[in-house]
Amino acid sequence: MKHIGILGASGSVGMQGIDIIREHADSFKLVSFAVGKSIDIAQRIIDEFNPEICCIQNEHDMDKLNINGKQTKVVFGDQGLLEVAGYEKNDVLLNSILGSVGLRPTLHAIDKGIDIALANKETLVVAGDIVMQRAKEKGVNILPVDSEHSAIFQCLNGENVKNIEKLIITASGGSFRDLTREQLKDVTLEDALNHPNWSMGKKITIDSATMMNKGLEVIEAKWLFDLPVERIETILHKQSIIHSMVEFNDTSVIAQLGTPDMRMPILYAFSYPERMQRNAERLNLADIATLDFKAMDLERFKCLALAYRAIEIGGTLPVVMNAVNEVAVQLFLDGKITFLDIETLIERAMDEHVVIQNPDLETILAIDADYKSRNYEV
């Protein structure tokens, strides 16, 4: 029996993690979780799973939870988040919080020797060097949950990493993959949230539409698999059936395929190094019939180009890129800027930033907070 903790339990990935625990109740037990302001979801989780500790965002919401007859301890805020992340009974922590707020809990869990099932891209985007070094020192597994990184992780099982030629990360192209840049000027929020393949939260869906999500994945892959960014490629693949590929020095290419369902990589991270049975839709290639691929156009997908630039320069530039992206996406969701304004704000901030190389954790957190607190105008 593995004991599981979940950060971001009310989000899309977190809820799918709950599904996996429910489906495999004889193998996994939810002992800790954190939500934000979703008190109703927290209550349902407590009622069903009777976990030992729960974190909510605000102290004034604690009285709204009915824990009579339950063993669940309720905590709140940033300190509560750390308490859940580092809970002593966690064997695996699924970090599915959105944004760089997931960094400190990840490091805290690593320090406690807890394996990380990582769905929080921003943790590695802003502090990949620090996180991976800390995990190595503590002997902790960083188990990727993003479908692309889980695919690469699976393709590399039993392989010598010295034989890797390059990683090939696939991208659906998001909601606007068939539109020109001219057509992007008039897209709506409703259009942007209509992803053709995946069911995800709003922020990730917008990131997919701008292709920033793929940029974050490139940076994450650099740190997860310890490869220079020039050996990490992206390719458009509309069907989201091949989740990623690895090319080796003998020209062999190994790919991982599956239906577009995040529960598979979540289960793999929870059960690693084993595989477990799932009663779910099976991939039928005869029904799919055709798999399409197209070279990535970095002029069309400007946010992806900005991400490549950020990691090539390194230092604090990825921190700035990520922070401004988080703010800009929220401004778009709030109807305050247009879709193309997102990349404009990010590029402007990156152009103006004086990069600090080899930043320590406090510098990273300070820059992140600074850029998130600024007022942005197009």
Side-chain angles (χ1 to χ4, degrees):
M1 177 72 70
K2 281 189 180 180
H3 292 166
I4 308 295
I6 299 180
L7 305 184
S10 58
S12 175
V13 173
M15 292 302 293
Q16 291 175 85
I18 294 287
D19 289 344
I20 290 297
I21 294 172
R22 183 182 295 114
E23 291 172 11
H24 296 82
D26 57 340
S27 299
F28 307 127
K29 176 177 174 58
L30 182 71
V31 293
S32 66
F33 76 95
V35 298
K37 300 177 182 178
S38 302
I39 304 304
D40 55 338
I41 293 178
Q43 185 67 62
R44 293 203 299 269
I45 293 172
I46 290 171
D47 290 343
E48 180 176 358
F49 295 97
N50 195 22
E52 298 181 18
I53 184 169
C54 156
C55 176
I56 59 176
Q57 185 170 328
N58 298 315
E59 183 179 13
H60 59 73
D61 286 331
M62 293 177 71
D63 291 340
K64 297 178 182 178
L65 286 172
N66 178 10
I67 55 172
N68 292 333
K70 303 291 184 181
Q71 65 176 352
T72 309
K73 174 185 176 182
V74 180
V75 294
F76 68 93
D78 292 342
Q79 187 57 43
L81 197 60
L82 294 179
E83 202 170 335
V84 166
Y87 188 58
E88 60 184 7
K89 292 188 180 180
N90 290 342
D91 294 315
V92 179
L93 177 72
L94 172 60
N95 185 349
S96 57
I97 290 180
L98 288 176
S100 58
V101 68
L103 173 56
R104 277 195 184 277
T106 299
L107 288 171
H108 185 64
I110 290 172
D111 286 341
K112 297 291 184 178
I114 298 165
D115 286 343
I116 309 295
L118 189 64
N120 173 254
K121 298 177 179 67
E122 294 85 355
T123 287
L124 294 184
V125 169
V126 302
D129 193 20
I130 293 172
V131 172
M132 295 307 292
Q133 183 60 38
R134 188 83 62 88
K136 183 178 180 180
E137 291 171 356
K138 299 293 182 179
V140 163
N141 290 313
I142 304 293
L143 304 166
V145 167
D146 277 340
S147 62
E148 295 82 0
H149 302 95
S150 178
I152 294 168
F153 188 67
Q154 293 177 61
C155 290
L156 290 176
N157 272 349
E159 298 289 346
N160 188 334
V161 295
K162 294 180 180 179
N163 295 329
I164 298 173
E165 187 72 19
K166 63 182 176 182
L167 308 181
I168 306 168
I169 298 177
T170 58
S172 70
S175 311
F176 304 135
R177 61 194 180 192
D178 297 319
L179 300 188
T180 65
R181 287 192 64 80
E182 184 65 27
Q183 291 171 319
L184 290 175
K185 293 179 180 178
D186 301 317
V187 298
T188 67
L189 173 60
E190 183 180 5
D191 294 333
L193 291 174
N194 186 27
H195 196 286
N197 298 352
W198 296 92
S199 175
M200 306 180 291
K202 290 183 179 180
K203 197 268 184 181
I204 298 177
T205 304
I206 300 303
D207 279 347
S208 179
T210 65
M211 203 64 82
M212 178 57 81
N213 198 48
K214 207 53 49 179
L216 299 179
E217 289 172 7
V218 168
I219 298 173
E220 187 179 4
K222 179 233 182 321
W223 296 115
L224 279 171
F225 305 110
D226 193 24
L227 280 180
V229 71
E230 58 266 22
R231 290 168 62 191
I232 304 173
E233 293 186 2
T234 53
I235 188 170
L236 284 169
H237 169 51
K238 288 185 178 182
Q239 291 85 3
S240 296
I241 296 299
I242 295 180
H243 297 301
S244 278
M245 297 170 269
V246 179
E247 180 181 326
F248 294 91
N249 56 5
D250 61 356
T251 74
S252 175
V253 177
I254 296 179
Q256 188 268 334
L257 286 71
T259 57
D261 184 352
M262 283 298 296
R263 293 171 185 83
M264 192 287 295
I266 293 170
L267 175 60
Y268 188 71
F270 283 1
S271 63
Y272 181 82
E274 305 297 329
R275 287 190 184 271
M276 297 180 66
Q277 178 74 23
R278 269 203 82 211
N279 296 319
E281 179 186 1
R282 301 286 163 168
L283 181 63
N284 189 321
L285 289 175
D287 287 346
I288 295 167
T290 302
L291 298 177
D292 298 305
F293 302 94
K294 185 178 179 180
M296 189 66 70
D297 183 349
L298 293 183
E299 291 186 6
R300 162 62 178 80
F301 297 108
K302 196 168 185 178
C303 279
L304 178 55
L306 291 173
Y308 270 107
R309 173 185 160 197
I311 194 58
E312 286 165 358
I313 295 173
T316 52
L317 197 57
V319 183
V320 172
M321 180 203 72
N322 180 74
V324 181
N325 180 63
E326 288 186 28
V327 174
V329 169
Q330 190 59 54
L331 289 173
F332 176 64
L333 289 171
D334 293 340
K336 296 179 179 179
I337 63 173
T338 69
F339 181 76
L340 287 178
D341 288 338
I342 295 173
E343 64 188 39
T344 299
L345 293 178
I346 297 168
E347 184 174 28
R348 183 185 301 162
M350 289 174 63
D351 288 344
E352 296 171 352
H353 179 62
V354 179
V355 176
I356 300 171
Q357 293 293 345
N358 303 310
D360 59 19
L361 181 60
E362 295 309 315
T363 299
I364 289 170
L365 294 172
I367 289 175
D368 179 69
D370 175 27
Y371 277 85
K372 287 178 179 175
S373 67
R374 299 185 182 190
N375 292 321
Y376 293 92
E377 296 181 359
V378 181

